[in-house]
Amino acid sequence: MTKPLRLASLFLFTSALVAPSLVYAQTAPSTPDTTGTPSDAAAVPQDQAAPQEEQAPDVSVPGGDAIVVTGRRVNVARDTPQVVSVLSSADIARTGEGDIAGALSRVTGLSVVGNGYVYVRGLGDRYSLALLNGSPLPSPEPLKRVVPLDIFPTNVVSSSLVQKSYSTNFPGEFGGGVINLTTNSVPKESFLTVSGGVGANLVTTGHVGYVYAGGGHDWTGYDDGSRDLPPALAAFFASGEKISSGNVDTQAIAGQLINANNALVQRQSRIGPNWSATLSGGTSFPIGDDMTLGVIATGGYSNKWTTRDAIQQTSLNSDLSTLENDFRRVSTDNRIVVNGLLGLGLEYGDNKIRWTNLYIHDTLKRARLGLGKTNNNAVTDVMQQDTAWYERQLINTQLVGEFKFSPEWSLDLRGSYANSKRKAPNELTLEYVRTNVASDLYGAYFVNRLNNGNNGDAHISYSDLNENLYSAGADLTFKPVTDLALTAGYAYLKTERTSSRRDFQFTAPSSFPTAVGMLRPDLLLGSAIIDYYNIALIDTNEGAPAFRAELKNHAGYGKVNWQVSPELSLDFGVRYETAKETVVPVQVFNTPTGSTAATNLDNDYWLPAATLTWQFRPDMQVRLSSSKTIARPQFRELIYQFYFDPDSNRQYRGNPLLQDSTLVNSEARYEWYFAPEQRLTVAGFYKRIKNPIETFITGSDFVTSFANAPRADLYGAEVEAVKKFALADWSGSNFFAERYLIAIANYTYTQSELKVKAGDQTRMFAASSTLATDYFQDGSPLTGQSDHLVNFQFGMEDKASLSQQTFILSYASKRVTSRGLANSGQPDIYEYPGLNLDFVMRQGVKIAGRQLDLKLEARNITNRKHKETQTLGKNTVIYNNYSVGPTFTFSLSTTF
C-alpha cells in the first residue's frame, strides 16, 4: 500500500466496506465529494503523488455513501483492501447498455446468463449477492432469491462495484462475489436532463409477430383491471373448497375465464419499434450556516419488442436417437419498464444523512404459437398457443447515516425496507392436433381435444408472489493511530416471501363433438359452449398450491485493517452469522393436504477472511486473500411443488431436503498501475465447494429438480489490461490534439468439476434413490460455467468534448444449462453463447444553441444466435435455438 503521509489524503469506502477497513483521513475536516470530483481541501506534495491517479467514481458501500477524496485522485481498484472492479458512470456510458446487467457483462470474470442473472467466475447466480447502496434486495422472481439485474435501468445507477474477495462486513452468503449498485448521488449543481431514444431489431421490428388484445392500456405496463380474478374464481379461492371434493360448480368458474381479449392470438404483420424516454433533475441548497439539503429525481419509461422463432426439442432416449418433442415456437414479447428514483441528502459538518427511494415496474406481455410433434408421433401435428402477462415490481426505501464524532471515532447506521411483487394472471395454454390421416374425417383440421381427461389440452394458471425484506446494520470504527483501524459491526436481515400458483385444466365429457373442437379458443371455451357441453375444470395443483418462506439472519463481525509497514498491509476479520430458513406449505383448503414436506434450516457459521497486500514498488503490488463463505438453497428450490418457467420452457420441482453449501476461497493477484488510468492485473483463484446445489432432469415430463452434489472444485485465472494512446503523439492535426485511443481487454479461464464417487449419497425427497451417482457425473462442470470469457473494448475518445466511438467484443465458451435425464446416461445440455460484437458512438453537438448528447448503438452486429443442444455421437437434440438479431438504437439527451 502507499505510505502513511500519502494515505493521509485518502478516505476510502466509508462504513462497512471501509468502516471495517482502515480509513485514512486527514485530521483537518474536509468536504466529501459525492460526485467523485477531487477536493482541494489538501494538496499532496508532488514527490508523494502515486504513480496512478484517476478520478474516483461515486461508489456506495454498506453503511456508507461514497468514496471520499481529499487532496488527490484515487484508484479504487488499487487502494481498496479487497479485490474489486468498479464500473463508473463513464464506464457504463461507454458500453451504452440500457440495463446494469449488460454493463456488468464487460467486467472481468462476469457473465450474464438468462434474464439478467450475473455469474461471477463461472459460479451460478446463487453465488452472486446483489446490494443497492449497501443494502440487500428482494427478488421479484418465483424461481430465484437472487435479483435479476436487467430490471435496473442504467439511468438509476451511477456506478457499480464488484468485489470478488470476501470481507466480513458483507453477508456470509458470498460465493463468487458481491455486486453493489450505487444510485445517483446528490448533485453539486442544479440540472435537468431530458433524453429519449428509438430502436429497431432486424428480426423483430417491421416483421411478423403475434399479439393478443389484453387490457385497454397494456402499453403502460399496468393492467386496467381486465386481468382481475373473475367473481366466480375469486369466490372459489375464498371458500377453501377443493374441486376434487365435488362441491364446486366448476362450469360457473370456467365460463368466466376465457374471452377474446386473453385467448385470441392474432398475427401482426409489422411489429413496431422500441422506444424510451427519461427525465432527471436535481438541486441542492443551504439550510442555515453549516447544513446543505440536496434532492435528485429520475423517471424513465421504455417499451421494447422481441420476437423469437425457436426450435425446441427433447428426447427420452439415452442415445438421443429419437425425439419426444419437436417444435417450432414463435413468441413475441412486449416488455415495458417504468422506473423512478427520489433521493434526499442532508450534510452538516462531517456528517451525512441520505434517504433513497427506488421504484421499478417491469412488465412482459407474451403471445406464442408453436407447431410440431409430440410422443415421437410422425403422423400427428400439434399446434400450441400461449398467452401470458408477467408483472414485476420493486419498491425500495433506505436511510443511511454517517457520523464522525472525532478523528478517532465514527459510526455508520443503515436501514432499509424493500418489497417485490410478481403477478402472472391468465397464463393460458391450449393445444390443437391434426392427424394428417386421409381416412380421418378431421385429419385436415386442427382440433382441440378437451375430452382427454387428465391429458386435456387447455390449461390456465394464476400465480402471485409477494416478498418483503427488512435490513439494518451498524458499524463503529475506532482509529487509535493512523495505521490501524478497528471495526465492530452488526447486521440484521429478514426476508418474508409468500408465493402461490393455481393451475386448472379444462375437460369435457367423452361425448364432446370433435367438430366443436375446431372452434377458435375464445369461442371454444366461451360460456355458451361450456354450459351446453358441460365443460368442467380440474385443479392440477391441489397438493401444494402455495408456500410461505422466511429467512432470518443475525450477524456480528469484527475487522482489523493494519498498515504493518509502508509496503505491507493486512486486512482481516471474522464474522459470526446465524440463519433460520423456513419454507412451509400454506394451507389454502379447508381439508388439510399434509403431503408436502416443510423445510427448516437452522445453522450458524464462523466465517473468517483475510487479505495481505504487499506494495513492493510504488506502481506494483501483490495481494493474497483467503476466506470461508456459504451459499443457501433458494426458496423455490425447497418446496416440493411444480412450477413452469416460460422463459426456458421447463418445469421445475423443489427438494425440501437441500442443505447449505460451504466454500473455501483463495486468490493470488498481481497488479501493475503503469500510468494514469492504465493497468495490468493477473490473478489466480481456487474454490472448494462442499454440497454444491446442482440441477438435474428426471422423469418423462422433463422436470428439473435440485440436489446437493458431494463436492465441487473450481479454479482459474484472469487477466485484465487497460491502455491509452494519445493520438497527439502520432499526428500534428488539431483534430487529434485531445483525442486518444483506449483499449480494455480482459480474459477469464475457469475450470470446475463435480466430485462424485461410488457410494456417495445425496438427500432427495420422494425419490427411490439417494445415490449421488444416479444424479451427477464425476468430472462434470458446474451449471452455467464457461471455460473461457473474453471482453475487449477498443475505441477513440476526446478529452475536451463528448466524443466516443467504441467497438465492444465479447465471447463466452459453451456452458451447461441443465443436466441430462437422470439414470439414463444422457449428456448434459449446453448453451453456446459464442461471439458478440457491438458498436457504440456518443457525440456532443450544439444545435440552435442547445448542447445535445447523441448516441448510436449497434448490437449483435455479427447476428449471434442463441443455441442450446444435447449431443451424443452423431445424434443432436436442439434444446432451444433462435436468432437474436442485430439491434440498432438512436437516442439523444440534453441538459438544461
Side-chain angles (χ1 to χ4, degrees), residues 163-238:
Q163 182 169 320
K164 300 173 186 175
S165 62
Y166 179 62
S167 54
T168 56
N169 52 286
F170 283 120
E173 200 168 356
F174 182 112
V178 62
I179 299 166
N180 189 45
L181 309 179
T182 301
T183 54
N184 296 319
S185 60
V186 175
K188 291 288 185 183
E189 298 179 357
S190 300
F191 73 95
L192 178 65
T193 301
V194 180
S195 61
V198 62
N201 177 272
L202 298 190
V203 170
T204 302
T205 310
H207 294 275
V208 172
Y210 294 100
V211 297
Y212 69 98
H217 45 70
D218 286 355
W219 65 272
T220 66
Y222 297 87
D223 181 49
D224 62 356
S226 301
R227 297 176 177 87
D228 291 347
L229 289 179
L233 182 63
F236 164 65
F237 285 166

Side-chain angles (χ1 to χ4, degrees), residues 666-718:
S666 58
E667 177 170 354
R669 187 178 189 89
Y670 163 78
E671 303 170 38
W672 179 24
Y673 299 92
F674 52 83
E677 300 181 35
Q678 302 175 66
R679 63 186 179 270
L680 172 67
T681 62
V682 181
F685 53 89
Y686 171 78
K687 296 177 184 290
R688 173 169 291 186
I689 310 174
K690 182 181 179 181
N691 297 323
I693 300 170
E694 287 286 296
T695 62
F696 63 92
I697 298 178
T698 184
S700 60
D701 50 359
F702 297 93
V703 174
T704 298
S705 192
F706 310 89
N708 291 103
R711 203 188 90 188
D713 290 343
L714 180 143
Y715 59 90
E718 61 185 29

Side-chain angles (χ1 to χ4, degrees), residues 722-777:
V722 179
K723 176 64 178 173
K724 292 187 176 183
F725 305 90
L727 292 177
D729 298 338
W730 301 352
S731 172
S733 170
N734 290 334
F735 178 80
F736 295 104
E738 296 294 334
R739 283 178 164 81
Y740 60 89
L741 296 178
I742 182 169
I744 303 173
N746 60 68
Y747 166 70
T748 303
Y749 171 76
T750 308
Q751 284 289 297
S752 64
E753 293 181 342
L754 293 180
K755 300 293 185 179
V756 187
K757 62 181 184 296
D760 280 346
Q761 299 288 311
T762 188
R763 293 160 58 92
M764 293 296 302
F765 181 77
S768 58
S769 173
T770 59
L771 285 174
T773 51
D774 284 342
Y775 303 96
F776 308 108
Q777 295 183 11

Side-chain angles (χ1 to χ4, degrees), residues 250-309:
T250 62
Q251 287 181 239
I253 300 172
Q256 297 179 358
L257 301 183
I258 306 300
N259 55 59
N261 287 338
N262 66 9
L264 186 58
V265 173
Q266 297 176 298
R267 182 178 182 269
Q268 184 165 312
S269 58
R270 287 184 175 85
I271 297 297
N274 307 323
W275 62 283
S276 63
T278 302
L279 178 66
S280 302
T283 188
S284 58
F285 45 89
I287 301 177
D289 296 331
D290 190 31
M291 188 174 293
T292 302
L293 177 66
V295 59
I296 188 169
T298 298
Y301 171 90
S302 70
N303 190 313
K304 180 180 180 181
W305 292 88
T306 303
T307 296
R308 294 175 175 175
D309 188 347

Side-chain angles (χ1 to χ4, degrees), residues 512-701:
F512 186 73
T514 303
V516 179
M518 289 188 290
L519 292 174
R520 72 188 199 192
D522 58 317
L523 301 179
L524 172 66
L525 297 174
S527 58
I529 298 293
I530 285 175
D531 291 341
Y532 188 82
Y533 290 105
N534 297 319
I535 297 175
L537 289 178
I538 296 174
D539 190 337
T540 60
N541 194 19
E542 282 190 352
F547 72 87
R548 182 178 296 112
E550 181 179 280
L551 174 64
K552 187 179 293 186
N553 179 266
H554 295 273
Y557 50 90
K559 199 166 186 295
V560 177
N561 192 288
W562 179 24
Q563 187 74 34
V564 182
S565 71
E567 296 79 22
L568 198 66
S569 66
L570 178 62
D571 183 85
F572 66 94
V574 65
R575 183 184 186 95
Y576 176 71
E577 186 167 303
T578 67
K580 294 182 178 181
E581 186 173 8
T582 59
V583 181
V584 296
V586 174
Q587 187 60 50
V588 299
F589 301 114
N590 297 328
T591 304
T593 301
S595 61
T596 300
T599 298
N600 190 348
L601 297 175
D602 189 353
N603 295 307
D604 60 274
Y605 298 94
W606 288 96
L607 304 173
T611 299
L612 180 68
T613 303
W614 176 35
Q615 188 178 28
F616 58 92
R617 279 181 42 176
D619 58 348
M620 292 185 185
Q621 62 187 27
V622 171
R623 299 181 195 266
L624 300 175
S625 62
S626 183
S627 63
K628 178 183 178 182
T629 57
I630 59 173
R632 298 186 179 94
Q634 301 180 15
F635 292 141
R636 173 61 70 175
E637 297 168 349
L638 289 167
I639 191 73
Y640 192 73
Q641 178 191 72
F642 287 106
Y643 182 81
F644 180 75
D645 180 10
D647 293 317
S648 61
N649 204 47
R650 295 167 187 157
Q651 192 172 36
Y652 290 80
R653 182 175 58 200
N655 176 10
L657 302 181
L658 291 176
Q659 299 174 290
D660 290 355
S661 306
T662 58
L663 299 90
V664 175
N665 317 283
S666 58
E667 177 170 354
R669 187 178 189 89
Y670 163 78
E671 303 170 38
W672 179 24
Y673 299 92
F674 52 83
E677 300 181 35
Q678 302 175 66
R679 63 186 179 270
L680 172 67
T681 62
V682 181
F685 53 89
Y686 171 78
K687 296 177 184 290
R688 173 169 291 186
I689 310 174
K690 182 181 179 181
N691 297 323
I693 300 170
E694 287 286 296
T695 62
F696 63 92
I697 298 178
T698 184
S700 60
D701 50 359

Side-chain angles (χ1 to χ4, degrees), residues 802 841-845 851-855 891-894:
L802 176 60
M841 183 180 73
R842 299 178 66 214
Q843 183 65 50
V845 297
Q851 188 70 27
L852 300 177
D853 177 1
L854 307 181
K855 183 169 69 172
S891 60
L892 62 87
S893 66
T894 184

